[in-house]
Amino acid sequence: MSVELKLSRSNRIYRPSEALEGKIIVKTQSSISHYGIRLTVKGSVNLQVRGGSAGVVESFYGVIKPIPIVNRTIEVKSSGKIGSGTSEIPFSVNLRQRDENLERFYETFHGANISIQYLATVDISRGYLHKSLSATMEFIVESDKENSADLQQQPLSPEMAIFYITQDTQRHPLLPELKSGGFRVTGKISTQCSLSGPISGELTVETSAVPIHSIDIQLFRVESVLLGEKIVTETSLVQTTQASDGIADGDVCRNLTLPIYVILPRLLTCPTTLAGPFSVEFKVAIVISFQSELSKLHKKSDAKTPRLWLAMETLLLELVRTK
């Protein structure tokens, strides 16, 4: 025998003002008795601080209690019997009560140190002599389209930041030929954009004394967790648009405008969130890699580590949920 949850929406996306609906599917070869079928909806912000990061000692690892968002249980069916074969039992549960604060329902997010997760669990109690049947499924919460004060009501016009990258804007050592011959890359890129839209912009390689190997757009998440009186912040790479599917692969023509168009990954991004115990922010980096024999020796180097053959510009990126 088995039990599974099937939600009413294939994409599993719901909003706080909506009801979570679906079916409990029970498959059994013979009829069984039960002492009630219950559905529990739980949502929480799970925080962790990895030992050794940002000067935090190992003993602090994993000591932060989760922040509850929602914890609701309903009885779908009282005690009785389930017939043989396949049975489908419908359910519906409101995610948010009328008196609950809408801002508590942070969007689903899976980060390195911060995870915002919503789970639906069905339990079929069968008494002491039989093992209970249960199944759990994650569903996705996005900002409410009607009631959220933070939600942009109009289509978002991306805020653009003008940037330029030269040997003088870099704070780390560069290849000697880059320092002497110079280079200049200019352009603009969105610093506020909708989660349903791309990071957009354009760039132009005006001059470069060294041939370019590639131009990449990197997306970083900046996760901050309050640990006692200290805020522990960690920046990690989410996505790189690179190589053959990137902005540019190989040397590019000078004074040619190249488009920037990067799709944001679902679940790994969320609206920029500044809460009391934690925050989730994002950055976007334009990374110019120049052709160098040294780069072949460090093919798997850390994206955050400056290298002699790399030049970059990093900007804050605000992500919002639009209607």
Side-chain angles (χ1 to χ4, degrees), residues 60-71:
F60 283 129
Y61 176 85
V63 299
I64 307 174
K65 291 183 179 180
I67 301 172
I69 299 175
V70 60
N71 188 353

Side-chain angles (χ1 to χ4, degrees), residues 61-94:
Y61 176 85
V63 299
I64 307 174
K65 291 183 179 180
I67 301 172
I69 299 175
V70 60
N71 188 353
R72 185 165 297 116
T73 300
I74 63 167
E75 185 176 67
V76 179
K77 203 169 186 181
S78 57
S79 59
K81 285 189 175 183
I82 298 176
S84 61
T86 300
S87 301
E88 296 186 353
I89 305 165
F91 67 84
S92 177
V93 55
N94 292 326

Side-chain angles (χ1 to χ4, degrees), residues 40 84 90 93 122 126 137 145 150 189 209 234 262 293 296:
T40 300
S84 61
V93 55
V122 58
R126 302 191 60 214
M137 173 174 283
K145 289 187 175 181
D150 295 331
I189 191 168
E234 185 168 337
V262 179
E293 292 297 323
K296 299 177 182 179

